[in-house]
Amino acid sequence: MMFLGCVGEQDYSITAQDQAADDVGVIAEGTGGTSLLVYCGAGMRLPMDEIGEMFEEEYGTSIQYNYAGSNTLLTQMELTGEGDVYMPGATYYFDVASEKGLVSNFSKVAYHVPVMITPVDDPANISCIDDLANDGVSVILGDPEAAAIGVLCQKMLTKKGIYEDVEENVVAKGATVNELVTYISLGQGDVSIVWEDLVRDNEDVNMVEIAEEDNIVKIVPIATLTSSENPEIAEEFVQFVVSDEGRAVFEEYGFTLYPDEMYAYLESE
């Protein structure tokens, strides 16, 4: 097994590192004047890029984004002691950051719903999560050491009782969910698990829903960092993200907004 982003010589080597590289640890430079550094899970890149432009236009503060896997960002925040806002792909990472004293002023934005994706021709005939354990199926999953979707996959497959069987089929693991979409669209694997909002209108992959009883849906949070040198502006940005303007952008990109009665059960977990 190899990890996406590494160079290998075996049959399962990945050939699209360049296409996915922009999603890993990339900081989008803002203009002059006051700026905020926002650590954001790569799966929220499209709506957050647009929201950042809207915020700068309205408030005159530019947004610098560091996009990467949620756990990778958490490590960077802790090591550097810098930054203003954290937006991981699941509340688990906020809880960890909170225990470390890194975050405050927590808000909930939307839901992340896992789905399976295959190449358009679906060579492995994937119809349910059990199919990931079938003989001969090449699986590409998120790296649990880097991305929220990797942790979710691990929990989901363990809950189903097929984790070890699926691991035998895993040919690569990616640091961001965006990479997973890229590699499946290029036919580098038979199946992966990603966030629904990323692929709802993507004609380059085939989306397969995961049965409700097998799925694990997560809430996308956003919080200010205790390291912020501009805490009031950081809080303004957080409130802008969860405002009607910000929520409309997330809805435009296919996210289910928080709160939603369909996922009310998550509050008791």
Side-chain angles (χ1 to χ4, degrees):
M1 182 180 72
M2 61 170 291
F3 286 79
L4 304 188
C6 299
V7 178
E9 297 179 354
Q10 54 188 298
D11 291 341
Y12 296 128
S13 61
I14 299 300
T15 59
Q17 285 87 349
D18 292 340
Q19 289 92 326
D22 288 341
D23 294 317
V24 185
V26 173
I27 297 178
E29 296 292 344
T31 58
T34 305
S35 66
L36 297 177
L37 174 57
V38 178
Y39 295 89
C40 185
M44 282 82 71
R45 182 168 192 159
L46 292 177
M48 290 302 286
D49 273 351
E50 186 169 328
I51 287 172
E53 293 175 0
M54 293 166 59
F55 185 80
E56 180 175 1
E57 183 176 344
E58 189 164 334
Y59 291 90
T61 298
S62 64
I63 306 300
Q64 295 180 308
Y65 287 110
N66 187 344
Y67 289 112
S70 298
N71 194 51
T72 299
L73 295 174
L74 184 59
T75 300
Q76 292 176 1
M77 287 159 38
E78 189 172 13
L79 289 175
T80 65
E82 299 176 349
D84 300 285
V85 176
Y86 181 42
M87 190 176 191
T91 51
Y92 165 78
Y93 295 98
F94 170 81
D95 294 338
V96 175
S98 181
E99 290 175 1
K100 295 176 180 290
L102 300 175
V103 294
S104 60
N105 299 328
F106 168 53
S107 297
K108 298 174 182 179
V109 182
Y111 298 94
H112 256 162
V113 182
V115 295
M116 295 179 290
I117 58 170
T118 73
V120 174
D121 58 350
D122 190 12
N125 193 27
I126 302 296
S127 62
C128 65
I129 198 168
D130 293 276
D131 291 338
L132 275 66
N134 291 345
D135 291 341
V137 175
S138 59
V139 180
I140 299 177
L141 296 178
D143 178 7
E145 297 297 322
I149 193 67
V151 174
L152 258 293
C153 289
Q154 197 172 59
K155 290 181 178 179
M156 196 182 308
L157 298 171
T158 299
K159 171 186 171 184
K160 188 65 175 176
I162 59 174
Y163 175 73
E164 292 184 0
D165 292 334
V166 174
E167 275 291 295
E168 292 182 3
N169 287 340
V170 172
V171 297
K173 293 188 177 181
T176 72
V177 68
N178 304 59
E179 292 180 15
L180 305 178
V181 176
T182 297
Y183 298 123
I184 293 299
S185 70
L186 294 175
Q188 301 291 338
D190 294 324
V191 62
S192 186
I193 296 176
V194 302
W195 304 124
E196 178 186 25
D197 50 85
L198 280 178
V199 295
R200 184 175 294 175
D201 299 316
N202 190 330
E203 296 180 354
D204 295 326
V205 296
N206 175 52
M207 188 179 79
V208 182
E209 292 185 358
I210 298 172
E212 183 177 347
E213 62 271 18
D214 295 331
N215 212 347
I216 302 178
V217 177
K218 287 297 178 181
I219 298 172
V220 177
I222 188 170
T224 56
L225 294 178
T226 55
S227 60
S228 177
E229 296 182 358
N230 299 287
E232 292 183 359
I233 301 176
E235 178 60 20
E236 282 185 353
F237 179 72
V238 168
Q239 292 307 313
F240 187 79
V241 171
V242 299
S243 69
D244 289 344
E245 284 182 273
R247 286 164 57 84
V249 176
F250 271 89
E251 190 169 34
E252 174 188 345
Y253 283 99
F255 285 79
T256 299
L257 301 179
Y258 177 91
D260 190 287
E261 291 184 3
M262 181 183 301
Y263 301 118
Y265 66 89
L266 294 175
E267 301 298 335
S268 61
E269 293 185 350

